[in-house]
């Protein structure tokens, strides 16, 4: 048994997202024979053909998902003979919805969705593991800082998350339960990320919330909040969650992976090369490669947000050995679906493709 994306940066939402995507389904999703569109490993192989792939990202401008856009900007998709369309949704759970519906071939989001989906009879696996820590930060508003010193003080509070059923939702519930509360003691509020999150924090519709860079850097720069739990590093992950928590990844439907191995290998080649490039360059050099509008707080602040988040990334795309078990333990703390189901962790990820990258 095996152990185990031209850019169209569109902002989609809910049903509209799936309706739009359905209207423009591409060749890659119709490969019923299991053969890939491209011959060889890319244009250099002599065919000149490219393989079309759509990938939905749970927030293209989030630093935690940076490898997706960076791979495009570095030209690594094209070098592999891939014509990748990158789409964006505000939360990883929305990216997962599009993937399960068959409207895209891949999703860039948190690995923990693969476990949750397995309990629902859906087999999805991480094929490139971007990160070994969540990259998430629990921030408390400046106004509420005196009332919230830890997750023990979450009771009765409105807590910001990107979306219901998202990984920020999962981790927020875990922090509450792990600190002696019940899920019913807190009120998760879907406020997205970026300016909507910051506005919710400033206006008091949430007292605290979980978000990522560059939103975190902007909150601190504005003096709108302070850090309560920092999970942008392996050490922060261990302190808050009890171990490494593999998060951002490229995950795909297992059936599609099995019938399109050539394409999956090319995606793995591109993404691992990007992870290697990231590890060999400065935050300023990385920031310079990204779209200018991603640096809403300014170039300097954007580079600082990348620097703070870089420790979460892997350099080889390989799943950390003890990572899946930590994710399972976290989800089981509050998720009834996992509490009463045995999850086959070996079916939630594969290292087959990343280990073949040269």
């Amino acid at each position: 048994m095996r152990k185990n994306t031209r850019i169209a940066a569109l902002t989609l939402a809910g049903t509209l997202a799936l309706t739009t995507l359905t209207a423009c389904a591409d060749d890659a999703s119709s490969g019923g024979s299991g053969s890939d569109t491209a011959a060889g490993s890319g244009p250099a192989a002599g065919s000149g053909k490219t393989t079309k792939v759509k990938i939905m990202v749970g927030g293209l401008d989030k630093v935690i998902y940076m490898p997706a856009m960076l791979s495009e900007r570095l030209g690594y998709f094209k070098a592999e003979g891939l014509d990748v369309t990158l789409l964006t949704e505000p939360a990883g759970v929305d990216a997962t919805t599009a993937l399960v519906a068959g409207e895209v071939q891949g999703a860039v989001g948190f690995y923990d969705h693969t476990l949750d989906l397995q309990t629902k009879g859906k087999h999805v696996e991480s094929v490139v593991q971007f990160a070994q820590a969540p990259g998430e930060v629990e921030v408390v508003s400046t106004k509420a800082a005196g009332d919230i010193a830890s997750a023990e003080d979450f009771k009765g509070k409105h807590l910001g998350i990107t979306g219901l059923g998202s990984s920020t939702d999962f981790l927020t519930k875990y922090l509450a339960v792990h600190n002696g509360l019940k899920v019913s003691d807190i009120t998760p509020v879907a406020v997205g990320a970026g300016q909507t999150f910051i506005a919710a924090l400033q206006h008091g519709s949430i007292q605290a919330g979980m978000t990522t860079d560059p939103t975190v850097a902007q909150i601190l720069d504005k003096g709108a909040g302070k850090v309560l739990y920092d999970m942008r590093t392996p050490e922060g992950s261990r302190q808050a969650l009890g171990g490494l928590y593999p998060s951002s990844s490229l995950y795909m439907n297992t059936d599609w992976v099995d019938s399109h191995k050539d394409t999956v290998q090319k995606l793995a080649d591109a993404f691992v090369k990007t992870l290697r490039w990231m590890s060999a360059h400065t935050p300023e050099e990385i920031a310079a490669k990204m779209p200018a509008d991603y640096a809403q707080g300014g170039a300097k602040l954007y580079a600082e947000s990348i620097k703070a988040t870089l420790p979460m990334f892997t350099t080889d795309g390989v799943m950390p050995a003890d990572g899946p078990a930590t994710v399972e333990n976290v989800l089981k703390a509050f998720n009834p679906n996992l509490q009463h189901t045995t999850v086959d962790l070996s079916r939630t990820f594969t290292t087959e493709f990343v280990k073949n990258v040269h």
Side-chain angles (χ1 to χ4, degrees):
M1 175 178 182
R2 174 171 51 78
K3 281 283 295 177
N4 3 315
T5 174
R6 254 163 274 138
I7 293 290
L10 308 176
T11 301
L12 309 175
T15 303
L16 178 59
L18 299 183
T19 301
T20 303
L21 287 169
T22 302
C24 58
D26 63 65
D27 299 340
S29 63
S30 62
S33 66
S35 61
D36 292 324
T37 305
S41 61
S47 71
K49 294 182 179 179
T50 58
T51 302
K52 294 180 179 291
V53 182
K54 283 183 182 177
I55 297 179
M56 183 67 80
V57 184
L60 265 173
D61 58 349
K62 295 178 183 178
V63 177
I64 59 171
Y65 299 142
M66 186 168 58
M69 179 60 77
L70 189 55
S71 292
E72 172 67 26
R73 304 284 285 193
L74 291 172
Y76 289 162
F77 292 140
K78 184 177 181 180
E80 294 295 331
L82 298 172
D83 179 2
V84 176
T85 298
L86 292 173
L87 305 168
T88 187
E89 279 281 13
V93 63
D94 301 315
T96 303
T97 298
L99 177 67
V100 173
E103 307 299 345
V104 294
Q105 290 72 55
V108 169
F110 268 40
Y111 161 73
D112 52 21
H113 291 296
T114 68
L115 280 72
D116 187 54
L117 287 168
Q118 191 179 118
T119 69
K120 301 169 183 175
K122 306 293 184 181
H123 294 291
V124 173
E125 60 188 3
S126 165
V127 296
V128 184
Q129 192 59 47
F130 298 167
Q132 58 187 334
E136 301 283 353
V137 178
E138 183 72 22
V139 294
V140 57
S141 74
T142 302
K143 296 177 182 178
D147 298 324
I148 304 176
S150 74
E152 294 179 3
D153 303 318
F154 283 174
K155 188 172 183 177
K157 301 298 191 296
H158 289 72
L159 306 174
I161 57 174
T162 53
L164 296 175
S166 66
S167 296
T168 53
D169 189 17
F170 292 164
L171 291 173
T172 299
K173 288 176 178 175
Y174 172 77
L175 289 175
V177 172
H178 185 63
N179 286 274
L181 303 182
K182 295 178 293 186
V183 171
S184 59
D185 287 333
I186 65 174
T187 302
V189 182
V191 293
Q195 297 308 308
T196 56
F197 186 101
I198 297 172
L201 199 68
Q202 291 177 316
H203 298 156
S205 53
I206 59 173
Q207 288 77 56
M210 192 170 292
T211 190
T212 62
D213 277 310
T215 307
V216 176
Q218 293 176 45
I219 290 171
L220 298 179
D221 185 60
K222 294 175 182 290
K226 59 186 294 185
V227 174
L228 192 63
Y229 293 101
D230 191 339
M231 295 173 281
R232 290 175 292 189
T233 67
E235 293 75 19
S237 179
R238 292 188 181 97
Q239 289 174 8
L241 307 173
L244 292 179
Y245 193 95
S247 57
S248 55
S249 63
L250 170 67
Y251 52 88
M252 313 178 87
N253 287 303
T254 298
D255 287 345
W256 199 89
V257 172
D258 289 342
S259 59
H260 297 78
K261 289 195 173 188
D262 286 349
T263 298
V264 178
Q265 185 62 62
K266 292 173 184 178
L267 286 167
D269 289 348
F271 279 126
V272 171
K273 289 174 183 177
T274 298
L275 291 168
R276 291 173 180 170
W277 188 93
M278 287 166 56
S279 70
H281 291 76
T282 67
E284 291 78 13
E285 290 170 330
I286 297 172
K289 287 290 184 180
M290 300 298 284
D293 61 350
Y294 283 17
Q296 293 187 11
K300 185 176 184 295
L301 193 63
Y302 184 53
E304 289 177 358
S305 71
I306 292 175
K307 181 180 180 179
T309 305
L310 275 177
M312 71 177 280
F313 293 104
T314 69
T315 59
D316 54 11
V318 176
M319 175 68 73
D322 59 344
T326 301
V327 173
E328 183 179 30
N329 289 336
V330 167
L331 296 184
K332 279 189 172 182
F334 66 87
N335 189 326
N337 291 335
L338 273 86
Q339 290 170 347
H340 304 109
T341 305
T342 299
V343 176
D344 185 349
L345 294 176
S346 69
R347 300 187 67 183
T348 61
F349 71 97
T350 176
T351 60
E352 174 185 349
F353 303 97
V354 293
K355 289 191 173 180
N356 285 332
V357 178
H358 301 295

